[in-house]
Amino acid sequence: MAGPFRTLTSIGPKDHGAQATLGGWVEDVRNLGGIAFLIVRQRAGTFQATVKKKSDEDLFNRASKVVRESVVAVRGTIQRNPEVRNGWELVAAAIDVLSPAAVPLPLPVADKVGADMDTRFDNRTLDLRKPGVRAIFRIRSIVTSALRSYLAGQEFVEVHTPKLAGAGAEGGATLFTTDYFGRKAYLSQSPQLYKQMLMSTGLDRVYEIAPAFRAEPSDTVRHVTEFTSFDAEVAWIERQEDFFPFLEGAIAHAVERVRSEAKAELEALQVTLKEVRIPFRRLDYSEALELLRGRGKRLRAGDDIDTEAEKLLGAAMQEQGHEIYFLTGYPTAIKPFYVMADAEEPDVSYSFDLEYKGDEMASGGQREHRYDVLLAKMKEKGLNPENFEFYLKAFRYGMPPHGGWGFGLDRFVQKLLDLPNIREAILFPRDRTRLVP
RNA sequence: GCCCCGGUGGUCUAGCGGUCUAUGAUCCCGGCCUGUCGAGCCGGGUGCUCGGGUUCGAAUCCCGACCGGGGCGCCA
């Protein structure tokens, strides 16, 4: 099927002499006096349209005046030419400006100067015209596709839980509120409660890739107020390690797919991806404290691992060849009510964080499925069970043992591609100050 | 929320009390050029975030506001 517009990738020197119409954004106009070149950008790269003054002076004059970044359709003859970058050029017979670009551009697209992040996000659609910026989102798409196909192969069901909620997940401090026909509603900060509820139904392996909202006024390169969470929950486990292979497999598969399917994008970003070896290293909390002590950082048993400690551990693991590792056995006291405590040592919980290049990618663990214990822990954490009746109901009539994780997709893409800021991995990021575009 | 740093043409920057009628690049406009591909050459164009203060004199120093970048806390 030959549409009116040909893609650059469908054309080569073999088409020598053929008529074609190509569309794109004019990246540059070079008028050399008697000959002019339009460098036109498409999804996959650029092609050159050539106009000679002596063959069509009117066309030559109009071509020379096209404003950069305008959308044009160029009709002409494909001419083989080894001197040209693609090995061919389009000798133009007609050039239509389908949509002119205004002057000046608020952001340089193909210029030799950069732009600040703020300027770029204010003009994100122009920013995304740059091949390196777009490459991030082609890769992100491969990642989500790989996660889905891997888990589908493990008999997971993809689910979608509500993002408007009448009660918070684990408290209330970090929730955005909104008006719901005169009632107070919240934007979901996590699918945690819902995916657990599903474990009581027979949909015993579920995952969800969806937005989560946090009203934390965080101001860092790894926090945004709206992020994409890759959550999963697995029932019929005996210990949390039983579901680790699913997370490991999904990540390894995603990296492999990116390595094989995004070679051009990785090159545009100047990123080399190493193969991910599974299983990942498991580092126990107490082992981590000892390791930190050896590096001059003293934490008392029960303390949370702060950012400095996290970076130190990351460096230590990296030295041992572990770019990615599980940090297991966090103190029960610093974990939410739904995590299960160790049967032998109740101060230690069946929980973990997944660390990647010094940053937290995921956290999860085995959940408390015993109704009475769950209820007691909820009260212990100062939560009112009445607000969670809808959730507790799922535990009252038979809940299998289960566990799962929440994994930050944006953060993963950031670290995978060594991006300096999580916002780079999000098309239209939302942070403390940015709500537009 | 706290701490550090910063706001100069459309964009990215130099300057950090007078000689700033503000640097350079990119961009835009005009001119030259028939093979450019980071095109080249010549000429021109646009700017000190805002409000107070210090000073003979402020882009430059001080205070405040607003905006931005980074760190911490929190976490995905």
Side-chain angles (χ1 to χ4, degrees):
Chain A
M1 62 159 247
F5 291 100
R6 296 280 300 271
T7 62
L8 152 70
T9 44
S10 74
I11 290 173
K14 61 176 164 32
D15 295 302
H16 183 68
Q19 292 287 311
T21 303
L22 281 84
W25 289 265
V26 176
E27 195 166 284
D28 199 10
V29 180
R30 300 196 188 113
N31 176 358
L32 274 64
I35 188 168
F37 304 105
L38 261 57
I39 309 302
V40 185
R41 185 183 60 250
Q42 289 192 343
R43 169 176 167 158
T46 59
F47 68 88
Q48 171 174 298
T50 305
V51 191
K52 286 182 179 171
K53 191 177 193 174
K54 72 173 183 193
S55 19
D56 188 340
E57 190 157 349
D58 178 56
L59 182 66
F60 177 85
N61 288 333
R62 283 189 297 111
S64 302
K65 277 196 218 120
V66 174
V67 175
R68 294 156 81 234
E69 294 303 325
S70 296
V71 169
V72 297
V74 185
R75 182 165 53 79
T77 311
I78 294 154
Q79 197 85 53
R80 195 182 311 141
N81 185 347
E83 304 292 309
V84 179
R85 191 162 280 159
N86 295 330
W88 58 272
E89 64 189 327
L90 188 64
V91 178
I95 297 172
D96 286 328
V97 177
L98 304 181
S99 174
V103 173
L105 294 168
L107 175 84
V109 176
D111 301 352
K112 301 162 197 166
V113 294
D116 285 344
M117 234 176 43
D118 199 44
T119 309
R120 292 177 44 221
F121 284 116
D122 279 342
N123 302 280
R124 188 57 158 162
T125 52
L126 280 175
D127 187 47
L128 283 160
R129 291 187 184 183
K130 296 182 242 173
V133 179
R134 258 180 300 137
I136 295 166
F137 297 96
R138 309 258 316 258
I139 289 170
R140 183 176 160 129
S141 168
I142 292 169
V143 169
T144 54
S145 157
L147 297 176
R148 288 196 164 96
S149 72
Y150 181 81
L151 290 185
Q154 304 294 327
E155 302 184 351
F156 275 72
V157 174
E158 179 170 11
V159 299
H160 299 94
T161 62
K163 301 306 154 206
L164 278 170
E170 298 139 47
T174 66
L175 294 165
F176 284 109
T177 58
T178 185
D179 175 71
Y180 196 76
F181 305 116
R183 288 153 68 194
K184 194 185 237 182
Y186 305 94
L187 296 185
S188 168
Q189 60 161 204
S190 162
Q192 182 65 31
L193 304 184
Y194 288 95
K195 63 179 181 169
Q196 279 193 264
M197 287 158 69
L198 290 173
M199 294 301 96
S200 74
T201 67
L203 292 171
D204 54 14
R205 290 182 181 185
V206 304
Y207 77 93
E208 175 167 16
I209 298 175
F213 306 90
R214 302 275 163 94
E216 284 286 345
S218 298
D219 228 340
T220 80
V221 295
R222 59 189 180 279
H223 289 91
V224 282
T225 51
E226 176 177 352
F227 65 95
T228 302
S229 185
F230 163 44
D231 271 86
E233 205 68 23
V234 181
W236 310 112
I237 58 166
E238 291 189 80
R239 54 189 72 80
Q240 74 170 358
E241 284 75 14
D242 291 349
F243 65 75
F244 279 8
F246 296 128
L247 180 52
E248 291 171 319
I251 291 169
H253 182 61
V255 173
E256 202 37 55
R257 285 267 309 269
V258 172
R259 270 162 55 94
S260 63
E261 293 172 26
K263 292 196 167 74
E265 285 80 5
L266 289 171
E267 196 174 324
L269 293 163
Q270 296 187 302
V271 171
T272 315
L273 283 188
K274 278 178 283 188
E275 195 186 344
V276 171
R277 276 195 302 274
I278 49 177
F280 303 153
R281 167 91 151 86
R282 274 84 158 139
L283 180 71
D284 186 69
Y285 173 80
S286 54
E287 205 182 335
L289 291 198
E290 209 161 300
L291 209 114
L292 285 168
R293 219 166 291 140
R295 300 203 160 220
K297 172 92 182 176
R298 291 194 165 271
L299 288 180
R300 284 189 307 194
D303 282 353
D304 199 359
I305 309 273
D306 63 26
T307 303
E308 187 192 12
E310 186 184 24
K311 303 289 175 211
L312 284 170
L313 285 176
M317 288 294 103
Q318 181 73 60
E319 283 168 27
Q320 295 177 23
H322 302 292
E323 202 162 58
I324 186 163
Y325 67 96
F326 286 112
L327 185 48
T328 61
Y330 271 85
T332 305
I334 59 171
K335 284 288 169 184
F337 71 87
Y338 51 77
V339 308
M340 184 182 269
D342 190 303
E344 311 290 317
E345 292 178 76
D347 289 348
V348 173
S349 65
Y350 294 139
S351 65
F352 72 92
D353 277 4
L354 181 72
E355 294 282 327
Y356 178 44
K357 296 186 183 177
D359 257 346
E360 184 179 336
M361 281 304 112
S363 68
Q366 181 165 357
R367 324 299 189 186
E368 183 53 70
H369 64 276
R370 295 163 297 184
Y371 180 80
D372 295 341
V373 182
L374 185 63
L375 196 64
K377 293 197 70 169
M378 210 173 238
K379 289 175 181 162
E380 227 172 83
K381 295 276 181 184
L383 295 171
N384 182 359
E386 280 173 33
N387 297 336
F388 294 87
E389 173 59 18
F390 72 99
Y391 167 73
L392 288 169
K393 222 183 244 180
F395 291 76
R396 204 174 289 143
Y397 309 103
M399 170 66 91
H402 63 278
W405 68 78
F407 175 97
L409 182 70
D410 322 276
R411 242 184 223 184
F412 179 66
V413 173
Q414 179 197 354
K415 299 307 274 190
L416 182 74
L417 303 177
D418 295 319
L419 304 173
N421 194 308
I422 191 170
R423 292 161 179 79
E424 298 282 0
I426 300 171
L427 285 170
F428 301 102
R430 291 287 176 264
D431 61 34
R432 194 179 174 171
T433 52
R434 182 172 289 281
L435 200 49
V436 170

